Amino acid sequence: MSTDPIARFIIGTGRCGSTILSKMLDVHPHVAVLSEFLVALDAVRKFGERPVSGTELAEICDCGLRSTGEFKKIVGHLKTPEITFDLEHPPTGVHPKNYREGVYPELILLPLANLFDDPTVAFDELVSFASEQPTRLLSEQLRTLFEWATRRAGKTVWIERSGGTLAQLPELLELFPNARFLHLHRDPFDVARSMKQHNHMRLFALQHYGLTTKDGLSWADLDETDLNDDGPMSARLQSLFDLDVPLEIFLRDWNEMVLRGFASVKRLEVEQYSEVSFEDLQADPKSVLRHIVEFFDLPGDDAWMKEAVGLLTPGKAGRATPSPQEAETLRTYCHPALVLLDREISRPSAGNQFSRDDA
């Protein structure tokens, strides 16, 4: 096991800016940010403290569709920015049909592709390593996996960052009761608008809430002729891609995620929890990074910060201004969480002009 006892997590609601923060912190010479590692594991078996064998641990890693579900069948159509694995030009001999349930493992698509130039090789090594582990508590097994990835990346300290993990804080605390949690939050109007532009989140919302097109088509109506990457997108899938998901769905989800997470924040000691806003990260990145270094007790000096700050693109994720109607929707769906975060609702504009936002 590692000589560094601290478990470090960045938590948030999704589309809160944690992806760019992960990239910035990964510049640190000693830090490996395990971006979307938890997302990539079996959605059910990755939580719940219990003894876990090496065989089960390998299955949690190599879990087929049991991470993000049927969306993995259309990963080529989703084109989400978090996926850095080159789907169009995979290594020779690498094909999704060679993996469990005919889909690329999420570990390859997300964390390992971010950490390594050879994510498919790293995946095989990781699964083999996992299968060889003696039976331990799940928390110890996960820490072992995180440390393995960190060593392979040539780093000494890991920080796990997965989108939406604020809502999973109760489950994380069961496994890592002494961990440190950095909560990155962002104006919910900007979060919701960004979610509307994100293919995976938009499709998940219409699936979860049973939304239908004008022709009455829903996600449940799709079959294997639609849910595959073998050719052009089917007309039925395209119609769902084009469906305008109401903003209030994302606002309500944001509020519920914050409330669920904050129900567990009160269980944390002062030194275990800290908040930073995405707006502050944009406005004064060096100060925010120094705060994070202190909170996470990261080793080394701050020479890496200049390169990290250079990853931010000025104006790329400016704040949007809601219309009067949108401001009222914000108050309706987000007031409890806004109070908890000590945030004010953005002042409405006369029209509905907004700044660029594609983060």
Side-chain angles (χ1 to χ4, degrees), residues 7 25 73 100 118 130 154 166 183 196 206 214-215 222 245 249 252-253 292 302 332 336 344:
L25 290 173
K73 296 180 179 180
R100 180 167 294 183
D118 58 346
L166 175 61
H183 177 198
K196 277 177 66 76
L206 69 88
K214 292 181 179 179
D215 297 329
L222 302 181
V245 179
I249 282 181
R252 180 172 60 187
D253 285 351
I292 293 172
D302 61 1
T332 299
E344 295 182 357

Side-chain angles (χ1 to χ4, degrees), residues 131-160:
S131 68
E132 296 167 355
Q133 298 310 299
T135 298
R136 300 188 185 99
L137 290 175
L138 176 60
S139 58
E140 296 171 354
Q141 298 287 38
L142 291 176
R143 185 185 284 269
T144 298
L145 293 181
F146 296 161
E147 291 169 354
W148 178 92
T150 301
R151 289 193 303 271
R152 194 180 191 278
K155 304 292 186 76
T156 59
V157 172
W158 59 266
I159 301 173
E160 204 287 330

Side-chain angles (χ1 to χ4, degrees), residues 91-138:
T92 302
V94 173
H95 191 277
K97 301 301 182 185
N98 298 334
Y99 295 97
R100 180 167 294 183
E101 297 180 290
V103 293
Y104 281 122
E106 208 83 344
L107 281 168
I108 289 177
L109 297 175
L110 295 168
L112 300 184
N114 281 304
L115 288 169
F116 309 119
D117 293 330
D118 58 346
T120 58
V121 175
F123 174 77
D124 292 339
E125 293 176 1
L126 177 61
V127 172
S128 177
F129 173 79
S131 68
E132 296 167 355
Q133 298 310 299
T135 298
R136 300 188 185 99
L137 290 175
L138 176 60

